[in-house]
Amino acid sequence: MTNVSVISMFFLSGFNETVNYRFILFFLSLLCYCIICLVNVSLNVTIILDSNLHEPMYILLCAFCMNGLYGTTGFYPRFLWDLLSDVHAISYYSCLIQAQVIYSFACGELSILALMAYDRYVAICQPLKYHSIMSKQSVIKLVCFSWLTNFCIIATNVFLTLRLNLCSPYISRLFCVNWSIVQLACFPEQTAINGIVTNITIIVYLLHGAFIVWSYMYIIKTCVNSIENRAKFMQTCVPHLLSLFIFVVTILFDIISLRISSKELPQTLKNFVSIELLVIPPIMNPLIYGFKLTKIRKRICVILKTK
């Protein structure tokens, strides 16, 4: 007979491998979080305070950094607390909230990258229509719509998890992930609707990826015969492509480790793969844009010289 009980707490068993070096991990994680906050806040403040940077591309970059702060804030404070705790427990609803934040952060990354790709497509392929299509108001509306849509899509996935009867309170990760909770269900037939909605969600964001590829195919085609467009591509599109590459690599590793049975993999490796998305993109993205985009680089240099 299946052991069905009401689960009020989850235990994050991924921390079992961190006990012997938790103080080193705490220091490194705290340093990482401080760097993430510093580089993302600095870029946001630079864009907000300089009226010359109130353009669609920089507004999208500002949203990108805000999304990074949102996602990492949903992970690091709890993670740092757990590293120093003897019991790595999290309440049922806190776990679902953390899953909501981290999932919506990941989906938000892809949505903003899609908006950036569209912005560059219009700027390079339809320059005469750029200011009418990509006005400040239009960009802000698109960002708000994408955030709201992402939040609702992930909330639907998380809400469906509430109806499941769970047989175990143990999650073999460092943080809460919705699919890991679904896998704890006592009755596999209960999870059918969760699987369908999850697959629909994956398809939606695969379409985002396809749109990005389509946009850059047209951009590259347009840039081939134009020296001016090639220069614009190298200046503004290369950072987007680097950010996209980093995101795709980190998310693919996480999906593979989550979806494919990985019981034979060391827990340390699974832990590293699971947190890549919350370490590499939030640090690298602001640095890539800060160094590559001329206006931002010059503005940061001016600020540093005045101090």
Side-chain angles (χ1 to χ4, degrees), residues 76-105:
Y76 279 98
R78 177 79 207 189
F79 178 66
L80 291 167
W81 174 267
D82 282 330
L83 282 173
L84 298 182
S85 300
D86 294 324
V87 180
H88 309 116
I90 183 171
S91 71
Y92 180 84
Y93 290 106
S94 295
C95 191
L96 291 178
I97 290 170
Q98 187 181 57
Q100 169 73 24
V101 171
I102 292 175
Y103 267 59
S104 55
F105 150 72

Side-chain angles (χ1 to χ4, degrees), residues 120-139:
R120 291 300 85 202
Y121 164 75
V122 177
I124 293 174
C125 301
Q126 301 182 39
L128 298 179
K129 298 180 181 179
Y130 181 73
H131 291 291
S132 60
I133 295 174
M134 299 300 290
S135 64
K136 292 179 187 178
Q137 293 75 17
S138 298
V139 172

Side-chain angles (χ1 to χ4, degrees), residues 50 295-307:
D50 191 342
K295 283 188 177 181
I296 291 179
R297 188 172 67 248
K298 286 182 178 178
R299 181 59 184 163
I300 291 172
C301 289
V302 169
I303 292 171
L304 292 174
K305 285 178 181 178
T306 56
K307 291 187 176 181

Side-chain angles (χ1 to χ4, degrees), residues 140-299:
I140 292 170
K141 286 178 183 177
L142 285 171
V143 169
C144 291
F145 176 76
S146 70
W147 268 340
L148 182 61
T149 304
N150 293 328
F151 191 87
C152 291
I153 289 173
I154 301 306
T156 302
N157 283 268
V158 172
F159 180 76
L160 288 171
T161 304
L162 286 167
R163 45 184 274 284
L164 300 178
N165 296 313
L166 306 179
C167 281
S168 172
Y170 295 98
I171 299 174
S172 60
R173 292 175 73 92
L174 297 171
F175 57 91
C176 294
V177 175
N178 189 56
W179 190 252
S180 293
I181 302 171
V182 171
Q183 290 176 319
L184 301 176
C186 300
F187 309 108
E189 60 272 14
Q190 274 192 326
T191 66
I193 185 67
N194 296 77
I196 292 168
V197 173
T198 299
N199 288 330
I200 291 171
T201 302
I202 291 171
I203 290 169
V204 167
Y205 290 100
L206 283 176
L207 291 175
H208 281 57
F211 174 77
I212 293 171
V213 172
W214 174 84
S215 298
Y216 280 109
M217 283 176 62
Y218 269 83
I219 290 171
I220 291 169
K221 183 180 177 182
T222 304
C223 291
V224 169
N225 298 318
S226 170
I227 295 174
E228 182 183 349
N229 282 337
R230 281 204 296 272
K232 191 184 291 186
F233 176 86
M234 293 301 296
Q235 180 64 36
T236 61
C237 294
V238 169
H240 299 169
L241 291 174
L242 286 173
S243 295
L244 178 63
F245 175 77
I246 291 169
F247 174 80
V248 169
V249 170
T250 53
I251 202 73
L252 277 178
F253 275 118
D254 190 45
I255 290 172
I256 290 169
S257 69
L258 190 62
R259 284 291 197 160
I260 297 175
S261 178
S262 55
K263 292 181 180 179
E264 296 181 1
L265 291 176
Q267 185 63 47
T268 304
L269 177 60
K270 288 192 286 184
N271 287 346
F272 175 75
V273 169
S274 69
I275 65 171
E276 277 183 311
L277 183 64
L278 293 154
V279 175
I280 300 173
I283 290 178
M284 292 305 298
N285 290 336
L287 294 177
I288 289 169
Y289 286 99
F291 283 114
K292 187 64 181 172
L293 297 180
T294 305
K295 283 188 177 181
I296 291 179
R297 188 172 67 248
K298 286 182 178 178
R299 181 59 184 163

Side-chain angles (χ1 to χ4, degrees), residues 21-35 76 79-80 83-84:
Y21 42 93
R22 60 181 179 173
F23 294 108
I24 296 173
L25 281 175
F26 177 85
F27 173 75
L28 293 175
S29 300
L30 180 61
L31 179 63
C32 182
Y33 185 46
C34 289
I35 292 171
Y76 279 98
F79 178 66
L80 291 167
L83 282 173
L84 298 182

